[in-house]
Structures are given as structure tokens and as C-alpha cells.
Amino acid sequence: MDRAALRLILLGYLLVSQQKQNVDIYSFYINSTVTSRYATTVITSRVANTLNESQEIQFEVKIPKNAFISKFRMTIEGKTYDGVVKEKEEAQQQYNQAVSRGQSAGLVKSVGRTLEDFKTSVTVAAFSKVTFELTYEELLKRRLGKYELLINAQPMQPVADFKMDVHIQEKPGISFLEVKGDLSTGDLANAIKTTRADKDAWVTFYPTRDQQTKCKSCGENGLNGDMLVTYDVNRQNPNGEIMVSKGYFVHYFAPSNVPRISKNVVFIIDQSGSMSGQKIKQTRLALLRILSDLDEDDHFGLITFDSEVNLWKRELLKATEENLKNAKSFVKEIRDRGATDINAAVLAGVDMIKRHPREGTASILILLTDGDPTTGETNIEKIMANVKEAIGTKFPLYCLGFGYDVNFDFLIKMSLENSGVARRIYEDSDADLQLQGFYEEVAVPLLTDIQLKYPGGSNLTKTSFSLYFNGSEIVVSGQITDNSVESFTTEVIAVSVRSSLYVYQIGLGEGLCGGKLIANLICLCVFSRCFCLRVLLKGQEKEDEKKESLKLSLKYQFVTPLTSMVVTKPQEGDVEVANKPKEGERGGESTADYYDSGMFISRPSRHHCRLRNHNNILVFKDKSSHTLLRMFSCHFSLNTHDIFVLSPKVHSNRFLLPVVGQSKPLCFDVPVPHKLRLLQDSASEFSMNGESLSEQNGFHQIAIHYKTNHHLIISTKSISYHNGQDNVEILWGQELTQHNTDGVSLVVLENEMNVTMGNIGVVIISHKKDGVMFLWPAIWEYPKDVNLTGVLGKSDISYVKTNGSQTPTLKMKDKEVKTYLETVSDYRLHSTPTRECWLVPFQAVMEAEISDFTVTQL
């Protein structure tokens, strides 16, 4: 089994203006240089406006959440506009000054599991060109014995001059290099070249325009796939290496010449009612695989909890064949029920390990939960205090948060206080593999109680670690204060299976790194330390850490949670502000009052929205009074101040949501393109996903899955159904066609398809507008006692219109939401009648972000 390695995710693509197609991306370069595990990536896109009039061109790239933007520039007609990193408060003042003049904003947001989406735009004159250049940097982490570089290319059109270059430089030498992924298959494999020397490796990818349309996931829009480059370094000195420059040092410690330590591991599994359906099924599957991977000298325990705590056995048992067989039988019977008593469950796990101490072993607690504590002790601060007191720094607690309903900040704090980490498990088809992948990272402990000492060093990052796992790496950086660089050494004291006290003496490595590299490493490492400590620290100590982190962020021009990048644009002093979000953040604490109000004529200063702390870029453009404007995405902004935000229209699908007892339905917008989870019932294993295209209404493809063997793919041209035995192909426009089998009913009329799977029925309408075919899903009756989720899964929404405000306001779920009366074409019907509706933010209806409903595959 291939073990997933820690990734540097470099996902870059360019989106051009959706309203006009006469844009030529004539050059697109991705250049990534990795030096001593530190990656610097530069994405450069050169675009020409081929129209005889000016138009707005967008630049959009996805970067890893662990990366830091260090440079952004635009070059137009020979003039360059650079971004400048400033303290967040100073950038906020500049933002406020701009919006007070009635200017508008674009944005950037977090997307998916590991990405942040950087986006901006600029108006380009007729037959003129613009060059966008974004640089971001990241310290690679070692996981399961590998460093990984994942580069995704999706320029949105074939590019005449497309180049991807990767150069890896490692002083110890490169032990192996591997290239795979979608972009390394078929004809595209011929466009990849790899070259290796002792300490260098090069990977180039120069596909022709023709090749860019022929990969597995490519098409007329060009490349759409990823390239995966994995590597590791030689470890001639098993005790690690130290590199220094200009008074700074970085110490890489990854010993591999020590035997594994047997472990005591207790799995604490949430089986409350919210874990129903696919969550509990995937948890069972992951546990069965994990149990099979235990070594015979390991000891393990299983605890499930809801409103009660259930122990499989009261003591830790050795991972013998018989015990594992019995444990698997127990796991197969785990069922969802009841409330969530996290406090009692974790304390029971701590007690199990404490009651059965084993000399010379490593103990680990792993908690998996998907929600807040709802019974027993529910005060989070009290729970954290109880757990910290019970563990007493003796072993780590790892917290896995399933989905977005979980209080992830709570899990982060509780894990950090107990020498562990928190990891979010995303609700998706691979959730079981995510769980198993996390376990593999902690499956083989080699050392415990690691202490790293640096005489003459200061401003050190974290130097104490409870466990070191095989395939990982400990990185410590700091400043050398005694000016004795030549004699600088470190001492590592740890406990191994061979000795109760194992001491490593490490001297200075031969290779020296560049000063900027070391400084950047210091900045990143110190900031990472401060980011974690700010979760735990209070008072003056917290403020001191914040000041130090801010100083380094400004010195080395990184966009961090304490800073923002300000870009002055060519349109008469327009301004952008880019910020760094929190992990897993979906918009901060407040609910957006506005998402996309549609067209209106008004003076901008009369309208405002309460914005949230989120990753964003805010682009200000001059607009005169009484101009036709469109409110867009107020939920992405700097903080919870009232700010005026206006921006250009973005094409979106507008969904209707009927409300019982109200004459006017609600409606909300979802920008295109997207791959969306439209409807899902985990209990019956039903799901419906849809893919929309840029500048097109509706969906060009909808996929419906039921149980494990029923798969229905509906496109604008044809319908394909497979159930493991039958393969049915149907074309739109035929006479009445029916197919019934195993709880599935398909009825196809000329331009309508009725689908029933189990007790869920949906209708797919085929429309044609302006010569373009598209699909639209409709649900006319929601089944009772079924917990439906997805964009179309809301059936119990209600609202009350409030009075007393100049701006129409609805009260929804005890929150007031600003709205406007809009019109919408009701594509649920063939006649597409126009209806009035109250336009509200997507978040107000779904209580989640759009990114929570996106899928990677239909």
C-alpha cells in the first residue's frame, strides 16, 4: 500500500473574464524551487486582450494553506504594480478609506481541504497585455518518509507556451525521486523529463497545445490534472544535520537507525446520533484496517461513546490474532445513537492507559468526534482542564474532528495542551482513507520524551516533543547568540527501546544555506510556534509572542494572520487587501447579512453588510453614484466592522427555495463553475452531484448514486445507467422510456427525467436557452423521516419578514438577514415562469460555506 506523503500543494490556474471570451493566455509558467526542504513557487501568467475594447481579466490561483504569499505584482503597458505587506490594522485603515469613497471589492477565499484561493482582476485596454506574478513559500514537512510536491494545472484553455519547472536542491543528496499523477499518463508522459544529479533533481513539463487536450481529464479547455513529485534525502548522519547562515540555524532531526517502540493505543470513537450514515460506516471501515496494521507486541483498547461510555474491554489487550478477531467483531457492531459525552469518554481512555502501564512503550490516545459535547460535562474549559490534569504530560492526545459541525478550535486547544495535534477529517468518499492515513503517521514510534538543547541559541522554536515517529522529521530553528558559529552544537536527549536515556551529539553541517532562506525559515517556524502558542497563551505572554511574530512577518514580507498585502492598482489608485485565514475557517463568528443581491440602482454609501474575518483580497474600484451595481460576496472580508463593499457581477445559478406558509419563496445564488453536492442521504447511500460550467445556466452533467451499485450519469446529450449487471443508454428527445429494477425507477420523457431511488424522487429537466442545452434538478416532494443534506436538501426553512428598517429584513433561525426582492426564472418547470423571491445569502440558508458543498468528483 502506498503511504500518502506530506504534500506541498501547488495548484495554479488562471480564470479569465467569464463575460467575454476574446482573451488569450499566451504564456503560463509554474516554477518551483525546493532548497533544503523549503519551496518557493512562482506562477506567472501572461494574458492578451484580443478585443477592440477594454475588458476585465481575472487572475486566480490556489495555494496551500500552509504557504505564505511573499510577492504579488501586475505589469501593464510596461508599468509594474507591487503588493506591500503591512500590519493588518494599517491595511484596514487603507481599506476603510477606500470604501468610504464608494469603491468596490473583489475577493479571495479559502477552498477545499488544503487550499486558499487567491484571486484578483484588472481592466486591460483593447489589444493590450497584462502579466500576473504570484510568489508563495512553504517549509516542506516530512511524512511517512517522503516530501511531496503536488502541482495541479488548470489554465482554462490550451496555452501556446506552457511550462512547468521543478528544481530540487538538497545538500545531503537526493535518495529517490518519483513523478506520477494525471499529467504523467498517456501522451503527456512524453512531455515530462526528469534529470538527477547527486544533490539536484530537475523535472520539466512542456506539453504542446495538442497534448494539453488529450490527457485523462483534459478537454477543449486544456490541462486539468496534477503532477506528483515525491522525494527524500540521504541521511548519512542518522542524528540529523544543522545548517547555519548569518547567525541563524536550522536543525533537521530524523533518525532512522533506532528500533520501533511497541505502543499502547486507545481509540475513542464517537457513536452519537450525528455520526449516522456514511460517517459511522467509514469509521468502522477505517478501524478494521487499522486493527489489521497493529503489530503483535502492540496493546490496544476500544472505547465508543454517546451519552454513555462503552468499553470493549476494561484493560489494554495485546494485538494477538484472536484479540484482533474479537475486536473486529465489536467494531462491526458499532451503531450511531444518543448524545455526545466527550469528557467522560476521554477520561475513560486516560484511565485505561494509566491502569495498565508498560515499561518501555509509547502510549497514544486518539479521539474521533463530529460534534460538540452535548451531555455530561459540556463546559469546554472544564473538559480541557479535566483532560490536562488526568494526562499530566505523560502521553499525547490526538483529536480528529469529523466534518464541519465539530468545534475544531476546542479540539485544537485540547490536543495542543496534551502534546498532540488536531486533524480535520472531511466528509467525503475517502474519509476512511483519511482516518487510516492519520493512523499510519503515528503507527511506528521510535523515540519518546525528546528534548533538544542548543547552548548559545536563542529565539528557539519548539524544542520538546513527546514522541518521534518513523518517517517524520523534527525541525528546530533559532538564532546563535554567542557568535561561535564554528563550535555550535546541539544535544538531543530521548528515550528509546535500547536505552532509557539515549543521547545524540550533533555538530555543524558542512553546507550553508543562503541568508534569505534561513531568515525565511526562522520567520515561518517562529510564526508557526506563535500561532500555536496564541491558542494557549494569555495576557502579556501572548502579546509578546504576537509582537515577535508580527515583526518577523513584516521584515520578510509574508502575508500571515497578523498582516495583509496591499496592492495599488492602475485604475486611479484602486486598492487590494489580501489576508491569511485560520485553518478550517468558514467565515468567522458572524453570519453574512448579504451574499449576492442582484442588480439595483442606488448610492453605494446607503448599503452595507456585516463582514467576517476570512481570507480575502478586497479590490477597490471607483464607481460613480447611481450606477448599476451588484453586491457580491460580503461574507468574505477582514473583520466584523460594518463596511461598504461593492463589486462586479459574477455569473451564478439562482436556486428557489419554497417556504411553507409564505407566498414568496427564498432564493440564493451559487457562483459558477462548480461541482456541487446537490442532495445526499447517508442512511440510504443516495447522492446527487452536479457540475456547472462557466457562463452557462444550470448544469451540464448530473450524477446520481444509490447504494454501491446504482450509478446514473445524466448529461445534456445522453443518459447512462449502470447497476453492475445492466447498462442502459438513453438519448434525450426519444419517446417515453422506462426502466425499473431493484428499487430504482427511471422514466424519461422528451425533455424530462423522473428518477426514484429508494424513497427519494427527483426530476431532471432538460432546457435549451440561447442555443445552449443545460440541466436543472427539481424536488417536488421531500420524503418524511429522511435527513437530507446538500444544496437542495433544505426542506424545513422558515422566515418572518420584519418591519422598521429601510432595507427589507427577514428573521431566519433567530437571526436577522438583509434581503432584496428579486426575480428568478423557475427552471424547475419547462415553461420557466418568472417568479419573485427574497434573495438571501447562501450561508444564511445553509449555515455553511459553498466550499462545504463542493465535490472533487461527480
Side-chain angles (χ1 to χ4, degrees):
M1 178 186 300
D2 262 346
R3 293 187 171 185
L6 185 92
R7 298 174 174 182
L8 167 67
I9 303 179
L10 309 174
L11 296 139
Y13 68 93
L14 175 73
L15 295 179
V16 299
S17 172
Q18 306 297 320
Q19 297 178 348
K20 300 176 182 177
Q21 301 300 318
N22 297 67
V23 171
D24 177 30
I25 308 171
Y26 63 91
S27 172
F28 193 90
Y29 292 175
I30 301 176
N31 187 294
S32 186
T33 302
V34 183
T35 303
S36 301
R37 292 75 143 180
Y38 188 82
T40 300
T41 301
V42 181
I43 300 176
T44 305
S45 181
R46 297 177 174 87
V47 188
N49 175 16
T50 59
L51 281 180
N52 61 356
E53 59 180 296
S54 63
Q55 67 168 313
E56 189 171 51
I57 295 178
Q58 292 183 1
F59 173 71
E60 183 172 354
V61 293
K62 290 182 170 64
I63 70 173
K65 288 184 178 178
N66 291 329
F68 293 80
I69 296 171
S70 58
K71 181 180 179 182
F72 174 69
R73 61 172 39 172
M74 294 181 295
T75 302
I76 304 174
E77 297 178 353
K79 187 173 182 180
T80 298
Y81 304 86
D82 285 300
V84 179
V85 174
K86 298 183 178 182
E87 186 176 357
K88 189 177 289 290
E89 287 75 12
E90 182 180 352
Q92 177 65 42
Q93 292 176 6
Q94 191 165 354
Y95 171 79
N96 287 337
Q97 292 170 4
V99 294
S100 68
R101 296 192 296 266
Q103 297 171 337
S104 64
L107 57 90
V108 163
K109 62 177 181 178
S110 287
V111 293
R113 301 179 185 179
T114 56
L115 302 177
E116 294 168 4
D117 196 25
F118 182 105
K119 177 170 126 182
T120 187
S121 63
V122 67
T123 299
V124 179
F127 305 115
S128 295
K129 298 178 181 180
V130 58
T131 297
F132 300 99
E133 182 182 307
L134 178 75
T135 303
Y136 59 91
E137 307 178 31
E138 182 179 13
L139 176 63
L140 291 175
K141 296 180 181 178
R142 187 170 184 254
R143 186 171 67 89
L144 300 174
K146 297 177 182 179
Y147 304 99
E148 186 173 277
L149 200 66
L150 178 63
I151 304 176
N152 178 281
Q154 189 181 355
M156 298 304 291
Q157 65 175 248
V159 180
D161 184 18
F162 181 97
K163 291 182 180 179
M164 186 185 298
D165 291 274
V166 177
H167 181 199
I168 302 171
Q169 293 177 300
E170 295 289 354
K171 293 290 185 180
I174 298 171
S175 61
F176 81 89
L177 176 76
E178 185 179 14
V179 180
K180 50 186 178 181
D182 294 339
L183 299 184
S184 65
T185 59
D187 290 345
L188 286 178
N190 299 324
I192 298 175
K193 293 184 180 180
T194 61
T195 307
R196 283 187 58 183
D198 180 29
K199 299 179 180 181
D200 295 84
W202 296 266
V203 178
T204 61
F205 178 53
Y206 299 168
T208 64
R209 288 183 72 112
D210 186 53
Q211 287 174 320
Q212 292 173 44
T213 64
K214 293 184 178 180
C215 71
K216 179 180 178 181
S217 55
C218 299
E220 61 180 13
N221 291 331
L223 293 173
N224 181 10
D226 55 68
M227 178 184 295
L228 189 67
V229 181
T230 61
Y231 79 97
D232 198 16
V233 301
N234 294 322
R235 303 188 184 277
Q236 299 174 349
N237 182 354
N239 299 337
E241 59 178 308
I242 298 178
M243 292 181 285
V244 302
S245 179
K246 298 184 178 181
Y248 289 100
F249 77 90
V250 177
H251 177 203
Y252 298 98
F253 181 65
S256 56
N257 61 336
V258 291
R260 63 176 294 276
I261 299 175
S262 63
K263 62 182 178 293
N264 313 307
V265 57
V266 176
F267 301 96
I268 308 168
I269 306 301
D270 185 347
Q271 63 172 19
S272 61
S274 58
M275 287 285 289
S276 63
Q278 196 70 2
K279 286 183 185 177
I280 202 72
K281 179 180 178 181
Q282 291 175 314
T283 299
R284 288 196 298 264
L285 181 60
L287 279 173
L288 291 174
R289 291 172 176 166
I290 289 171
L291 289 172
S292 298
D293 288 341
L294 289 173
D295 288 290
E296 190 171 353
D297 60 347
D298 289 336
H299 284 63
F300 71 100
L302 294 171
I303 296 175
T304 61
F305 70 96
D306 41 72
S307 52
E308 299 178 350
V309 176
N310 308 286
L311 279 64
W312 170 57
K313 301 292 182 183
R314 291 189 55 80
E315 66 280 350
L316 294 172
L317 293 186
K318 192 174 183 180
T320 63
E321 184 176 350
E322 182 66 21
N323 287 337
L324 290 174
K325 179 181 178 181
N326 293 334
K328 290 178 180 179
S329 297
F330 172 79
V331 168
K332 292 176 182 178
E333 297 303 318
I334 296 177
R335 297 291 184 269
D336 55 280
R337 64 189 186 195
T340 310
D341 192 345
I342 293 177
N343 182 71
V346 176
L347 294 181
V350 175
D351 182 64
M352 181 179 289
I353 290 179
K354 282 188 170 181
R355 283 189 290 107
H356 304 89
R358 293 198 302 134
E359 189 73 24
T361 62
S363 295
I364 302 169
L365 277 179
I366 300 178
L367 166 68
L368 171 66
T369 182
D370 76 331
D372 288 340
T374 59
T375 189
E377 179 58 67
T378 59
N379 183 289
I380 289 176
E381 295 297 329
K382 182 63 175 175
I383 294 173
M384 288 193 297
N386 292 343
V387 172
K388 184 176 181 180
E389 181 180 4
I391 292 178
T393 71
K394 291 182 173 60
F395 42 81
L397 168 66
Y398 296 99
C399 297
L400 306 180
F402 210 139
Y404 274 108
D405 292 331
V406 69
N407 186 336
F408 198 60
D409 282 344
F410 161 52
L411 297 185
I412 290 176
K413 292 178 183 179
M414 187 163 63
S415 60
L416 286 176
E417 285 188 340
N418 295 283
S419 304
V421 296
R423 178 80 55 84
R424 191 185 297 278
I425 304 299
Y426 293 85
E427 292 185 60
D428 214 332
S429 58
D430 67 341
D432 54 318
L433 299 179
Q434 296 176 55
L435 290 167
Q436 185 181 3
F438 174 82
Y439 170 76
E440 290 175 349
E441 294 180 46
V442 299
V444 185
L446 300 182
L447 298 172
T448 65
D449 302 318
I450 304 103
Q451 301 290 327
L452 296 97
K453 300 181 181 296
Y454 301 91
S458 64
N459 293 324
L460 302 174
T461 58
K462 183 178 178 181
T463 58
S464 298
F465 303 86
S466 59
L467 288 170
Y468 167 75
F469 297 101
N470 187 44
S472 65
E473 184 172 59
I474 293 174
V475 181
V476 179
S477 63
Q479 189 172 6
I480 303 173
T481 56
D482 62 1
N483 296 319
S484 301
V485 173
E486 294 77 9
S487 61
F488 182 77
T489 61
T490 185
E491 181 179 67
V492 182
I493 302 173
V495 176
S496 74
V497 71
R498 292 175 178 170
S499 171
S500 59
L501 187 64
Y502 203 70
V503 180
Y504 299 87
Q505 295 283 348
I506 306 168
L508 178 64
E510 294 180 0
L512 299 182
C513 295
K516 185 178 187 299
L517 170 63
I518 288 291
N520 288 341
L521 284 171
I522 296 298
C523 178
L524 285 171
C525 292
V526 169
F527 178 79
S528 297
R529 179 191 69 172
C530 294
F531 181 77
C532 294
L533 289 178
R534 284 202 308 277
V535 176
L536 304 175
L537 296 179
K538 297 179 181 179
Q540 188 59 45
E541 190 175 8
K542 178 177 180 178
E543 289 301 313
D544 291 344
E545 291 287 359
K546 180 179 178 180
K547 289 179 181 177
E548 178 65 17
S549 185
L550 174 61
K551 182 177 73 172
L552 291 168
S553 299
L554 293 174
K555 181 177 180 180
Y556 299 110
Q557 289 286 287
F558 281 113
V559 179
T560 70
L562 300 176
T563 58
S564 300
M565 176 174 282
V566 177
V567 181
T568 302
K569 297 179 65 178
Q571 286 91 12
E572 298 185 12
D574 295 351
V575 174
E576 295 183 329
V577 181
N579 296 301
K580 183 82 173 173
K582 294 166 59 178
E583 193 284 329
E585 186 175 40
R586 300 190 299 163
E589 292 73 29
S590 62
T591 301
D593 294 329
Y594 227 91
Y595 181 66
D596 189 350
S597 73
M599 295 292 186
F600 64 94
I601 299 177
S602 183
R603 188 178 296 274
S605 61
R606 291 184 57 195
H607 297 276
H608 68 277
C609 51
R610 184 168 294 279
L611 309 175
R612 307 195 229 190
N613 183 13
H614 207 287
N615 184 35
N616 52 92
I617 287 186
L618 298 165
V619 187
F620 306 99
K621 299 178 181 176
D622 291 334
K623 301 285 185 181
S624 61
S625 302
H626 300 288
T627 303
L628 196 63
L629 299 173
R630 187 178 183 88
M631 285 289 258
F632 177 70
S633 297
C634 292
H635 60 298
F636 299 114
S637 188
L638 298 173
N639 52 39
T640 54
H641 297 293
D642 285 334
I643 302 173
F644 305 105
V645 181
L646 298 165
S647 73
K649 173 182 177 180
V650 173
H651 195 319
S652 58
N653 279 324
R654 179 164 292 175
F655 292 87
L656 271 172
L657 186 60
V659 178
V660 176
Q662 296 287 357
S663 60
K664 288 184 175 61
L666 298 174
C667 53
F668 58 88
D669 288 346
V670 178
V672 295
H674 260 312
K675 288 182 181 178
L676 291 176
R677 180 181 292 109
L678 297 173
L679 197 66
Q680 182 172 351
D681 174 33
S682 298
S684 65
E685 299 181 79
F686 174 95
S687 66
M688 178 171 68
N689 303 321
E691 182 176 16
S692 59
L693 296 179
S694 300
E695 200 59 25
Q696 289 188 15
N697 289 304
F699 299 88
H700 85 104
Q701 186 168 287
I702 293 176
I704 303 177
H705 307 281
Y706 178 53
K707 295 186 176 178
T708 58
N709 57 326
H710 298 278
H711 306 284
L712 177 65
I713 307 298
I714 308 168
S715 73
T716 55
K717 296 181 179 179
S718 63
I719 300 163
S720 175
Y721 169 71
H722 308 279
N723 64 4
Q725 297 179 346
D726 301 326
N727 294 319
V728 179
E729 300 290 336
I730 305 171
L731 296 177
W732 289 106
Q734 293 181 346
E735 296 181 356
L736 174 66
T737 305
Q738 299 186 54
H739 184 83
N740 297 281
T741 179
D742 193 21
V744 173
S745 173
L746 309 177
V747 180
V748 183
L749 304 174
E750 182 180 359
N751 53 6
E752 175 181 315
M753 182 175 191
N754 290 268
V755 181
T756 302
M757 293 186 175
N759 62 345
I760 300 175
V762 299
V763 179
I764 308 298
I765 307 294
S766 174
H767 288 283
K768 186 174 183 179
K769 184 177 182 180
D770 298 329
V772 178
M773 302 292 296
F774 65 92
L775 306 172
W776 196 271
I779 305 172
W780 293 108
E781 184 176 356
Y782 287 86
K784 296 181 179 179
D785 302 322
V786 175
N787 183 26
L788 291 175
T789 59
V791 172
L792 303 180
K794 285 286 185 180
S795 61
D796 58 348
I797 197 73
S798 63
Y799 73 81
V800 176
K801 188 174 183 297
T802 61
N803 298 317
S805 174
Q806 291 183 347
T807 302
T809 303
L810 303 181
K811 191 170 185 179
M812 302 170 56
K813 296 181 182 290
D814 297 324
K815 293 179 180 178
E816 291 191 348
V817 180
K818 290 181 174 61
T819 184
Y820 281 88
L821 195 61
E822 291 289 327
T823 58
V824 59
S825 296
D826 191 351
Y827 292 121
R828 299 175 304 164
L829 301 170
H830 292 295
S831 58
T832 62
T834 299
R835 303 186 61 183
E836 286 190 330
C837 61
W838 293 114
L839 184 65
V840 295
F842 179 92
Q843 293 77 6
V845 176
M846 297 298 172
E847 301 179 286
E849 298 295 328
I850 292 175
S851 59
D852 300 330
F853 294 88
T854 59
V855 295
T856 56
Q857 297 181 356
L858 292 186

